[in-house]
Amino acid sequence: MKNIFTIEVSNEIIDRINNLTPTAKPTWGKMNVAQMLAHCNVSYAQAYYPENFKKPNFFLKLILKNLVKSHVVNTKPFNKNGSTAPDFIITDTRNFENEKSILIENIKKTQQLGATYFEQRENFSFGKLTASEWNNMLYKHLDHHLNQFDV
């Protein structure tokens, strides 16, 4: 798994994002490119602004930690057309340039804060994660959706 905390990998992801166009079409899935960018921003919004989201109740968090977490934080790529959490479902119209700019800033912020910042940092749904688990989750998610749009 590539390391999103390194400048090289962050720049590689940003270059891929910069190769997207507002008219890019997905090779699978229902989201358009602006919705996909907004969808990718949710991971960062939950990491940096968890107060903006309704926390899962005890029962749901238990399910997420015990059944979903291992799938999300491992190094195995996501399957196409997989299910997603309600907070990540984007169906409204989004501004491509705005979402793209936000995502690039989120990636830069994450790289600048580095792995140490994320070590044992609380995740909205999964509890405390290692920096490696944060990396796997963030990088794998971005790579999955950039592949969805052939970049």
Side-chain angles (χ1 to χ4, degrees):
M1 182 70 53
K2 292 186 179 182
N3 187 345
I4 197 70
F5 300 120
T6 67
I7 191 76
E8 296 82 15
V9 173
S10 292
N11 284 343
E12 174 190 309
I13 291 290
I14 291 168
D15 287 345
R16 290 171 68 189
I17 292 167
N18 282 326
N19 283 324
L20 291 167
T21 65
T23 59
K25 300 290 183 214
T27 57
W28 75 84
K30 300 174 185 174
M31 293 183 287
N32 64 39
V33 67
Q35 290 169 329
M36 177 274 288
L37 294 169
H39 167 87
C40 288
N41 277 320
V42 174
S43 298
Y44 295 95
Q46 286 185 343
Y48 295 128
Y49 312 105
E51 66 277 5
N52 293 343
F53 295 86
K54 182 180 177 194
K55 288 193 174 208
N57 64 38
F58 174 80
F59 181 70
L60 180 56
K61 192 162 186 175
L62 191 64
I63 291 171
L64 292 170
K65 285 175 78 171
N66 291 316
L67 298 177
V68 179
K69 175 184 172 183
S70 63
H71 172 70
V72 173
V73 302
N74 70 22
T75 58
K76 184 180 175 189
F78 291 127
N79 294 328
K80 295 176 183 177
N81 294 313
S83 60
T84 191
D87 285 339
F88 287 79
I89 296 172
I90 309 295
T91 57
D92 59 332
T93 301
R94 297 298 177 105
N95 179 284
F96 172 81
E97 291 298 334
N98 184 56
E99 296 298 337
K100 177 179 158 183
S101 175
I102 292 168
L103 185 55
I104 289 170
E105 287 308 309
N106 281 327
I107 293 165
K108 287 179 180 178
K109 178 179 181 176
T110 300
Q111 187 279 316
Q112 290 165 355
L113 288 170
T116 303
Y117 175 84
F118 284 89
E119 186 62 42
Q120 294 305 310
R121 183 165 178 80
E122 185 82 15
N123 175 269
F124 187 77
S125 298
F126 306 131
K128 290 184 179 183
L129 299 178
T130 66
S132 178
E133 290 172 325
W134 276 102
N135 173 71
N136 293 349
M137 178 176 63
L138 294 172
Y139 178 81
K140 181 165 78 166
H141 190 229
L142 289 168
D143 185 58
H144 172 77
H145 286 294
L146 292 173
N147 286 333
Q148 178 186 15
F149 284 84
D150 274 336
V151 294

